[in-house]
Every structure is written in C-alpha cells, then in structure tokens.
Amino acid sequence: MGRCSIQIVMGPAGSGKSTYCKAMQEHAEATSGANRRRIHVANLDPAAEVFQYEPLFDVRELISVPEVMQELQLGPNGALVYSMEYMLENLDWLRDALDDLDDDEYIILDCPGQLELYTHVPIMKSVLDSLKLWGYDGHMVSVFCVDAAFLVDLPKFLSGSLLALSAMVALELPHINVLTKADLMPANDIESILSQSATQLWHQEQDRLYTNHERNNQNNNATNASEDGATPLPPRKPRKDERLTDALCQLLEDYSMVSFIPLNIQDEDSIQHVLATADHAIQYGEDLEVRAAEGNDLEENE
C-alpha cells in the first residue's frame, strides 16, 4: 500500500509557519504543466486560532486548548501539553485521515510552535514514531522555520540555529531549515550573514559591542579625546563568559548540519526552490508517473 508524502512544519511561535503552508499550497496549484500538484494542509496545533488556509483536517475537532483550559482550569502551556498527550492517545483519527490520501498526494502538517514538544517533552517524537510504524518512514521531511528578523539579533539567530539542530537530532527525520519572511530584508544582507560561520558572526558582534562601549566611555571622558578624533581602542580581551558561546558556535561549525534556505513568498522561484529541496529530501516524485498536461496548461503555454 502506497503512502502520501508529508512535510512536518515546525518552528518558534510567530515564525511564519501558517504563511509558509499557504504559500506552498498556492504555489503548487498555480504551477503549470507536469509540475502542477495539489498540496493539502492540515492543522496539528490544538492552540491555533486563525488559519490562512483551509485545513484538510484539524486536531481541534478532537481537542482544543481553550476547551481544556475551561474544563480543567489549566494554563495555556499545561493545556497544550494535555491536548497533545490526548492526541497521542487517540492517534487513530490521524491515521484514518492520512490513509484516505493516495500515494501520489502531498500533505503539510502545521504543527505547534512550542518547541518543548520537540526537544524536552517527547510528544512529537512519539507521534512521528507512530507514523513510521504505519509505513510513512521515508515519506516524511521536517521543515524548521526561523524568522529572518533573527538575523539582526545575533543571539536570537544562534539560539534559533541551536533549536533547529536540537529538533533535527530529536526527530530523526530528513530535515531542512527555512528562513521565513526573507522578503522583509535585503537579499544581499541575508546572503552576507548566511555565508559566514557562527564563530565569525559571534566575534563580529562582540567586536561591535566592545567598540560601541569604549567609544561611549571616550565620549564621556574628555581627557580621552584628541584633536584628530577618537583615541585608538586597545585590543579587545575575550571575557570568560564568552567561552560557552564560542563552544556552541564551534559545535554548529564542526558538524555543518545547520544551514538555512531563505524563503521570499513574493518570489515564485524562491518558493519552488524550498519545495524542491523538501521533495529531494524524501525523493518525492521519483516513482510517480509523468502527468500529462491538462487543457488549461496547454492554453497557458500557447
């Protein structure tokens, strides 16, 4: 029995997961010729409120965080963990929904943004292990979304990179990292930052902070000023508390396992590149028959 192909979309809250899902779905439907396909999207976040897409199925039909908070008097985080554990105990609904799809179909699962479910509490790992037992092993790819705004705040970017690495190791799936909202930043700035190593970025940030700090001290002390301009700064001495960050940066570099693909949802080529990378990770399409062009496709190409 064939199995559909699945993207497991995750990332911090507000990283643009739902927007990513909508962009992939609309791009696939708008693509002409033999590459056209239909991508389904389903919601696995019991705390979700608003979607930009119409879900094929929705975990909130089984259980939702607001209902749990009201009935059990739990806070948001406790209600989410309870809801996910309840979903884990009642996975038949998910299996039935996925089994209704043909082996040439493609679905994106929009997952919760609370990363504890992937790294600290093994709920999502257990869900994915069940999918593997059902025959979906080799048909799933995890997509970790990080907001491009993290690039302007280096500690956040390093933290996001470590979270991506942690999720990849914990879930044990083919994995890609996507830099969402790349349309909100200059492409040259993104390329410049992503082309550098974590250690280079960290040292540049520390040098910048050190320079700003010393210049402020000079401006506040008239005796340090000269007629020709600011006094040259003494070399920066690494602080002891930098050693941990240096070690974490070195970890990212040593294994070269974390890289990001920028996603500009205003650029169809950018969307196609991300989709093609995810397809390649699970070898989607290699065993499918070539679909003949439909009437609308022929008209578009004329």
Side-chain angles (χ1 to χ4, degrees), residues 50-252:
V50 179
F51 300 120
Q52 298 184 26
Y53 54 82
E54 184 65 32
L56 180 65
F57 54 86
D58 189 346
V59 70
R60 296 178 305 173
E61 298 174 358
L62 177 71
I63 190 170
S64 69
V65 166
E67 292 175 352
V68 173
M69 291 177 63
Q70 182 177 1
E71 294 182 10
L72 301 182
Q73 299 299 306
L74 294 175
N77 292 333
L80 177 62
V81 173
Y82 179 91
S83 299
M84 295 301 293
E85 289 177 342
Y86 183 86
M87 182 190 76
L88 184 60
E89 295 173 357
N90 297 271
L91 276 183
D92 287 344
W93 74 273
L94 177 59
R95 184 174 187 174
D96 293 341
L98 293 176
D99 286 349
D100 286 340
L101 300 175
D102 295 330
D103 59 356
D104 61 344
E105 294 192 84
Y106 201 104
I107 187 168
I108 298 177
L109 300 182
D110 190 1
C111 299
Q114 282 69 14
L115 297 177
E116 297 86 354
L117 301 173
Y118 308 89
T119 57
H120 296 75
V121 183
I123 294 178
M124 287 303 300
K125 177 67 165 58
S126 298
V127 172
L128 298 178
D129 285 345
S130 295
L131 265 66
K132 292 178 182 179
L133 292 175
W134 301 341
Y136 292 96
D137 193 13
H139 297 266
M140 296 185 292
V141 56
S142 58
V143 179
F144 193 91
C145 298
V146 172
D147 192 332
F150 280 23
L151 293 178
V152 300
D153 189 339
L154 186 63
K156 284 186 178 180
F157 181 59
L158 293 179
S159 176
S161 299
L162 291 169
L163 287 171
L165 178 61
S166 178
M168 177 175 61
V169 172
L171 299 182
E172 299 178 336
L173 288 177
H175 184 95
I176 66 171
N177 300 305
V178 176
L179 197 65
T180 59
K181 307 179 186 179
D183 51 304
L184 303 180
M185 289 187 63
N188 291 338
D189 291 353
I190 294 176
E191 182 179 356
S192 174
I193 293 174
L194 295 182
S195 65
Q196 299 182 68
S197 69
T199 299
Q200 288 176 322
L201 292 172
W202 174 247
H203 287 171
Q204 288 177 9
E205 177 69 6
Q206 294 308 298
D207 289 341
R208 183 187 67 82
L209 294 175
Y210 169 76
T211 299
N212 291 341
H213 176 73
E214 292 298 318
R215 291 302 184 198
N216 288 335
N217 287 343
Q218 286 185 354
N219 291 336
N220 292 332
N221 188 347
T223 60
N224 289 335
S226 65
E227 295 179 357
D228 298 330
T231 303
L233 299 177
R236 183 177 72 87
K237 296 181 180 180
R239 304 190 312 269
K240 290 183 179 181
D241 57 3
E242 291 182 29
R243 294 177 183 175
L244 176 59
T245 306
D246 284 335
L248 293 174
C249 291
Q250 195 62 47
L251 172 68
L252 293 172

